[in-house]
Amino acid sequence: MPIRILPDQLIHQIAAGEVVERPASVIKELVENSIDSGATRVDVEIEDGGVRVVRVRDNGGGIARDELALALSRHATSKITTIDDLERVMTLGFRGEALPSIASVSRMRLTSRVTGSDSAYLVSSDNGVLSEVQPAAHPPGTTVEVRDLFFNVPARRKFLRAERTETQHITRAIERMALSSFRTAFSLSVGKKLVAEYPVAHSQIDRERRVAQIVGDEFMANALFVEHEAAGCKLSGWLCQPTYARAQPDLQHFYLNGRTLRDRVIASAIRLGYRDVIFGGRHPAYVLFMEIDPTQVDVNAHPAKLEVRFRDGRHVHDFLFRTVERVLRDTYAGAASQAPAPASIDTFMPAANAASVWPSQGPSYGGASRSFGSQSSLGLRVAEPSLAGFAASSPTHTAFNEPAETPPLGFALAQLHGVYILAQAPDGLILVDMHAAHERTTYERMKAALGQGALASQPLLTPIAINVSQAEADLLEEHAALLVQAGLDIERSGPTGVHVRAIPAFLKASDIDALVQRVGADLVANGISRGVEEALNEVLGTIACHGAVRAHRNLTVPEMNALLREMERTVRSDQCNHGRPTWTYVSMSDLDRMFLRGR
């Protein structure tokens, strides 16, 4: 077939395929134009899922009479004039494609009045054919009305979903934009019925109210406010606690310089920040806003501008990862800052012998019990308090005398079914999952030792031969000196083979094959910066899980109290390595309500 130049209208319709996917994408483009115009209010009306009518009205700066027809011309924009402008884009739109693309597949009316002007004007487009500019009645701002979307492209129209589905997509689009622009009020009407309204949110309380309105009160009840700035990057917004992790990544909202973003680098960095506290297969929830020098990011990398290219993606990744990790660590640090430093790692290494797992000495808080009592038919092992702990005033009542200073997690009373520790707090009861708690404390201790270079290396009598890819073998050989610092002595044995001559003292030889292959694969995929650390941390987590005290293991009261004190000294001790909670609290008032006391 001969090569030919396509007619302008067909070019517009082809281009519309990149910009106009469905009614929701039309609304996204139009509302972003409104936000760029400085609008403080945007009202959206739709009929028939946005297929029959989409109307977007704003109170922004407006479009001058002489520019109305030009606004519907391809690549006409007021937002950039030179290539330098393209390298520092701060507006949501900039290509000048949206209006002409939408107009080419619909019947459009564009009405506008410039701020300070007494007159408004309109121009219409039917199948891409423009009318003359005419006077109109309109308040300051702009209204874009789009009718009969895809009426002239039936192949596109048949791929649209049911009205209800398209309306849901529109609702989600409005919600995402309402999260990104607190200074703008938004409303959505479906068939003349107001279904959503978001007032301007100037104060922090107003912002939190808007976030809760969109993503739910439960989200905000579990959210941690974040505000951090370093190395040219600023992050603010809300991170949810690990216990609020979701089965789907449906509550992940990230904005870069005000722009909605779906980026694998960013998602990976945030998830990595949760790596030690989130349950496998679950997804963190967040609403986050990042600001960065616009010259450090290319926003012209995706047709729908949902992805970007960073000039230094590793720097952005590290900033996000370390910020999220630090927020979660500081939030769950507990009483670490007030407690003495943990004992050495050797004291707490997992072992079958209880004496090597739990320290025999520790701070004394008085009233200590001397042994277990008998086990009841309910599976409750009750601690026998010393004579000094009994209340002598009543022959029928026994209780512990509370010391002057009660530690945050209280004192152990009993062990329930060999699984939970029951501890008495000043105003209630604390229940601890002993396996989950010991798993966390052991893991954090191992990580700390690794970070301080205190992990002892254990030479192997017989080197372990492991097959890897040639690229992995190259990198393992290149970074052998760094691996030695982590306790791994690896040397090249062939094009696709390595020998392991020494391993960290706490590892079993059976763990090494998977560890070395994982380290090699991570070095190939991610480079040296965190590949080794991530691989070792994963192995440490597995060791801590299998080495932690198991269910149905009977603990003495000193052992239970030692675990409680160690939890108070350990960061992130509220969750195990998989994100499960390690303890919960029931107040006396809760117990009183349960038993109807005082009524």
Side-chain angles (χ1 to χ4, degrees), residues 85-372:
D85 295 334
L86 189 61
E87 293 179 354
R88 55 172 66 92
V89 172
M90 287 298 292
T91 54
L92 300 177
F94 54 86
R95 293 176 181 151
E97 292 180 321
L99 286 178
S101 295
I102 297 169
S104 70
V105 291
S106 68
R107 297 182 172 96
M108 176 187 283
R109 284 169 58 95
L110 175 60
T111 309
S112 189
R113 175 178 164 186
V114 176
T115 301
S117 173
D118 295 330
S119 304
Y121 299 90
L122 73 84
V123 65
S124 62
S125 171
D126 190 336
N127 197 22
V129 179
L130 297 184
S131 71
E132 295 292 329
V133 176
Q134 305 171 23
H138 193 277
T142 302
T143 296
V144 181
E145 182 179 279
V146 178
R147 291 182 174 270
D148 302 325
L149 185 63
F150 297 137
F151 80 97
N152 54 353
V153 192
R156 295 293 305 278
R157 188 160 187 165
K158 70 179 182 181
F159 282 99
L160 295 178
R161 303 298 183 184
E163 176 183 350
R164 180 177 179 181
T165 302
E166 296 298 338
T167 299
Q168 289 175 342
H169 282 289
I170 291 169
T171 302
R172 300 290 89 79
I174 296 294
E175 290 174 347
R176 285 190 293 270
M177 289 182 285
L179 285 175
S180 71
S181 183
F182 291 113
R183 63 178 177 80
T184 306
F186 298 87
S187 72
L188 173 63
S189 297
V190 177
K192 305 300 183 182
K193 179 182 179 182
L194 181 66
V195 297
E197 186 164 20
Y198 307 105
V200 172
H202 292 301
S203 68
Q204 180 70 6
I205 293 177
D206 291 339
R207 295 188 186 102
E208 292 182 355
R209 188 176 292 119
R210 178 182 284 194
V211 173
Q213 185 180 356
I214 294 171
V215 297
D217 292 333
E218 190 176 359
F219 174 98
M220 287 306 302
N222 288 276
L224 311 168
F225 182 72
V226 180
E227 193 167 34
H228 177 62
E229 186 171 1
C233 299
K234 180 179 180 181
L235 187 71
S236 61
W238 296 267
L239 285 169
C240 271
Q241 300 179 47
T243 50
Y244 188 68
R246 313 275 294 177
Q248 302 293 331
D250 57 337
L251 285 183
Q252 297 184 349
H253 299 275
F254 191 91
Y255 300 88
L256 179 68
N257 292 344
R259 183 186 308 279
T260 303
L261 207 59
R262 293 200 303 261
D263 186 90
R264 285 176 293 180
V265 170
I266 288 171
S268 170
I270 295 173
R271 182 167 184 82
L272 192 61
Y274 276 87
R275 64 181 174 180
D276 287 341
V277 292
I278 200 166
F279 196 75
R282 306 288 288 183
H283 300 271
Y286 50 82
V287 176
L288 293 173
F289 309 91
M290 184 174 176
E291 297 176 28
I292 190 173
D293 183 346
T295 63
Q296 298 301 308
V297 60
D298 179 8
V299 299
N300 194 27
H302 187 273
K305 294 170 287 189
L306 294 175
E307 297 177 3
V308 299
R309 291 193 188 97
F310 293 103
R311 188 179 298 273
D312 188 350
R314 174 59 63 185
H315 171 69
V316 172
H317 184 283
D318 287 352
F319 168 77
L320 288 171
F321 157 63
R322 307 233 176 254
T323 301
V324 172
E325 183 185 50
R326 184 171 63 186
V327 167
L328 296 175
R329 180 190 65 217
D330 292 348
T331 299
Y332 299 110
S337 59
Q338 291 81 29
S344 67
I345 185 171
D346 294 332
T347 310
F348 295 91
M349 283 298 297
N353 189 327
S356 65
V357 177
W358 310 106
S360 59
Q361 69 273 7
S364 174
Y365 293 95
S369 61
R370 58 175 187 256
S371 66
F372 281 120

